[in-house]
């Protein structure tokens, strides 16, 4: 009797444990079915990690977890290394002006114009059409691009930069597509909560028409038409072949140039482009020159006299003047090293060649400034192309090969 009761109790325990096991198996099967229904790709673990990682990080996490056969020689290659490095995720067109030192002069009028234009494009002003493009134009060498860089740094903006060389291509339509791509790239940065802008250098050199001798190409037409379309619809800029209506953040465009009259007239009308003629005043020129000579301890009085002595020169003239002062020291260093030993010192040398600060007195600066002006006058006076094209002129017939004759004039 006792034996029968024990056997029935044991069998009851076995049946209970079997039921528990069956329930757990059914739950596991249901979980597998649910997981298979929600699984998108082939590997469930990657699907579960899609919100917090990407393929490059997954590859890096798998280091030392596969056979040595696939690790690559000396760990330099193989399946455990990510294809892209962290720097390749960054935009190649985005400029950073953090390398510009403080102390350079920014024209108050220039900064005011650029700041107001960018601020207005980020504001929602009632029933007011704000021009999307700010065109800054003026003479050559007046520091337009550098003033823009200083203003961008002051505003804390890292713009997307384009140059005039990117506005032409051997393939029709590529420059227009590039403008749309760069604009949307800047728009994505704004969408992430950072101010951004599209900055086009020398727009007239890439999209303008310099007289009858310049060929007007399809790309010139498409660049002008693309900028007009973006200015009219700044929140609906699509890539070629993409027809999806989606609103993107508005991106202010700043462009520089020398002569905007060479551009297509409907592009530079007031509703699309706000124009600003940059012609630095005497105070602006003195302020910029103080920044150029700030490392050389040149007094303001000497800078003022230097600017007044060369009133018709552009601002980059004074930068070239400062670089010209080092010619004597470089000439002396070449005499000490020898012409044959320059290559080993400059290219393969372990130490960089450096010079102490040169004494830049007013007399030295005026002397080298006069030399630069003389070279400019030679370019204006000795126009050999006109002489050669006008007829078969012999060398030296008019003194072009006699520098002594020019010295006497």
């Amino acid at each position: 009797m006792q034996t029968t009761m024990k056997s029935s109790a044991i069998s009851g325990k076995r049946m209970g444990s079997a039921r528990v096991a069956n329930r757990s198996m059914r739950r596991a099967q249901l979980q597998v079915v649910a997981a298979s229904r929600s699984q998108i790709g082939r590997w469930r673990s990657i699907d579960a990690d899609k919100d917090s990682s990407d393929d490059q990080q997954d590859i890096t996490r798998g280091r030392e977890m596969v056979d040595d056969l696939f690790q690559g020689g000396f760990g330099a290659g193989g399946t455990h290394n990510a294809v892209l490095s962290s720097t390749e995720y960054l935009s190649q067109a985005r400029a950073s002006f953090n390398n510009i030192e403080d102390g350079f002069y920014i024209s108050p009028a220039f900064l005011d114009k650029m700041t107001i234009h960018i601020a207005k494009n980020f504001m929602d002003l009632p029933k007011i059409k704000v021009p999307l493009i700010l065109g800054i134009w003026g003479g050559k060498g007046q520091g337009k691009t550098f003033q823009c860089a200083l203003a961008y740094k002051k505003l804390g903006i890292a713009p997307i930069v384009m140059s005039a060389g990117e506005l032409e291509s051997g393939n029709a339509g590529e420059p227009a597509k590039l403008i749309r791509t760069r604009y949307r790239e800047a728009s994505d940065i704004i969408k992430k909560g950072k101010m951004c802008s599209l900055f086009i250098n020398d727009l007239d050199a890439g999209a303008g028409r310099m007289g009858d001798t310049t060929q007007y190409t399809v790309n010139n037409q498409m660049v002008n038409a693309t900028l007009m379309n973006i200015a009219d619809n700044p929140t609906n800029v699509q890539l070629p072949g993409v027809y999806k209506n989606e609103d993107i953040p508005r991106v202010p465009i700043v462009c520089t140039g020398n002569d905007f009259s060479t551009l297509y007239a409907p592009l530079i009308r007031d509703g699309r482009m706000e124009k600003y003629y940059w012609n630095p005043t005497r105070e602006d020129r003195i302020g910029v020159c103080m920044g150029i000579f700030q490392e050389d301890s040149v007094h303001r009085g000497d800078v003022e006299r230097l600017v007044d002595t060369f009133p018709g020169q552009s601002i980059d003239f004074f930068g070239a003047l400062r670089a010209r002062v080092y010619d004597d020291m470089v000439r002396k260093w070449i005499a000490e090293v020898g012409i044959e030993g320059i290559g080993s010192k400059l290219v393969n040398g372990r130490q960089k060649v450096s010079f102490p600060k040169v004494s830049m007195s007013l007399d030295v600066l005026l002397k080298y400034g006069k030399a630069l002006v003389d070279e400019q006058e030679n370019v204006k006076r000795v126009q050999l192309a006109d002489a050669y094209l006008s007829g078969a002129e012999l060398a030296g017939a008019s003194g072009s090969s006699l520098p002594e004759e020019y010295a006497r004039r």
Side-chain angles (χ1 to χ4, degrees):
M1 187 72 177
Q2 292 179 354
T3 305
T4 305
M5 292 177 63
K6 288 182 180 179
S7 60
S8 62
I10 293 173
S11 62
K13 290 181 179 179
R14 289 177 180 175
M15 291 177 63
S17 61
R19 289 171 185 165
V20 173
N22 290 334
R23 290 174 184 172
S24 60
M25 288 178 61
R26 289 175 184 174
R27 289 175 183 171
Q29 290 175 355
L30 291 174
Q31 289 177 357
V32 169
V33 171
S36 62
R37 289 178 180 174
S38 62
Q39 185 174 334
I40 300 174
R42 183 177 180 183
W43 309 110
R44 186 172 59 187
S45 59
I46 295 181
D47 293 336
D49 198 32
K50 65 181 180 180
D51 294 330
S52 59
S53 178
D54 58 13
D55 292 341
Q56 303 300 314
Q57 293 177 352
D58 291 334
I59 293 172
T60 306
R61 289 173 181 173
R63 294 180 65 94
E64 311 300 337
M65 298 181 67
V66 297
D67 192 84
D68 293 340
L69 179 64
F70 304 101
Q71 291 294 317
F74 303 101
T79 59
H80 65 292
N81 287 329
V83 179
L84 297 176
S85 63
S86 59
T87 57
E88 291 176 293
Y89 286 103
L90 302 177
S91 172
Q92 300 298 320
R94 193 175 185 187
S96 175
F97 302 112
N98 294 329
N99 59 335
I100 300 178
E101 299 178 359
D102 296 329
F104 289 103
Y105 174 84
I106 308 178
S107 171
F110 193 102
L111 182 62
D112 175 76
K113 192 70 175 180
M114 194 165 168
T115 305
I116 290 178
H117 173 76
I118 293 176
K120 283 170 63 178
N121 274 275
F122 283 102
M123 294 179 180
D124 188 12
L125 300 177
K127 297 182 181 181
I128 294 178
K129 181 176 175 56
V130 179
L132 184 72
I133 306 172
L134 172 63
I136 302 172
W137 65 286
K140 59 181 177 11
Q142 298 290 7
K144 298 180 292 296
T145 302
F146 191 63
Q147 287 288 305
C148 287
L150 293 176
Y152 274 128
K153 183 183 179 183
K154 191 83 172 177
L155 293 169
I157 298 176
I160 301 295
V161 180
M162 292 188 66
S163 63
E166 295 176 300
L167 301 180
E168 187 55 79
S169 172
N171 300 323
E174 283 296 325
K177 180 180 178 181
L178 182 62
I179 291 175
R180 292 178 177 272
T181 303
R182 297 280 172 84
Y183 185 90
R184 289 183 64 94
E185 189 176 346
S187 181
D188 290 339
I189 295 174
I190 297 174
K191 190 183 296 183
K192 295 176 182 177
K194 292 185 179 180
M195 290 184 68
C196 195
S197 171
L198 180 61
F199 181 45
I200 304 176
N201 269 315
D202 302 317
L203 177 63
D204 58 333
R209 190 169 187 178
M210 308 293 180
D212 297 333
T213 58
T214 303
Q215 184 179 5
Y216 199 68
T217 66
V218 175
N219 283 326
N220 294 144
Q221 292 178 329
M222 295 190 69
V223 165
N224 283 285
T226 300
L227 289 175
M228 290 167 57
N229 178 256
I230 293 176
D232 292 337
N233 304 285
T235 59
N236 185 20
V237 179
Q238 302 172 1
L239 295 177
V242 179
Y243 305 101
K244 181 181 179 182
N245 289 325
E246 60 173 350
D247 287 341
I248 62 175
R250 181 187 181 106
V251 178
I253 300 176
V254 178
C255 57
T256 62
N258 296 120
D259 189 0
F260 282 168
S261 65
T262 61
L263 297 173
Y264 189 48
L267 172 63
I268 63 174
R269 69 174 176 83
D270 294 331
R272 293 185 175 127
M273 178 185 291
E274 184 176 0
K275 295 163 287 294
Y276 176 58
Y277 178 57
W278 167 239
N279 187 20
T281 62
R282 178 179 180 272
E283 191 64 29
D284 292 333
R285 294 160 63 86
I286 292 174
V288 173
C289 289
M290 287 297 295
I292 293 174
F293 295 104
Q294 65 178 347
E295 298 291 334
D296 307 306
S297 301
V298 180
H299 300 292
R300 183 179 178 87
D302 294 340
V303 172
E304 291 178 357
R305 185 176 173 186
L306 186 67
V307 170
D308 293 337
T309 305
F310 305 103
Q313 298 295 333
S314 59
I315 290 178
D316 67 341
F317 169 84
F318 301 99
L321 171 59
R322 181 176 182 270
R324 191 72 177 268
V325 176
Y326 281 84
D327 285 4
D328 291 336
M329 297 195 67
V330 174
R331 189 178 296 109
K332 181 180 178 182
W333 176 82
I334 293 174
E336 294 176 354
V337 176
I339 297 179
E340 297 81 1
I342 290 179
S344 60
K345 293 289 185 180
L346 296 178
V347 179
N348 299 321
R350 295 183 178 180
Q351 296 181 351
K352 289 186 177 181
V353 179
S354 59
F355 298 108
K357 289 185 179 181
V358 181
S359 175
M360 293 192 183
S361 62
L362 181 60
D363 295 336
V364 173
L365 293 175
L366 292 176
K367 181 185 74 171
Y368 282 105
K370 177 94 168 41
L372 289 177
V373 172
D374 291 341
E375 293 296 336
Q376 294 175 355
E377 293 298 326
N378 286 336
V379 174
K380 295 179 183 178
R381 183 175 60 247
V382 187
Q383 298 181 1
L384 297 180
D386 293 340
Y388 292 159
L389 293 176
S390 61
E393 182 175 334
L394 298 176
S398 62
S400 61
S401 298
L402 297 174
E404 293 82 5
E405 291 294 329
Y406 282 116
R408 294 171 187 169
R409 294 181 184 179

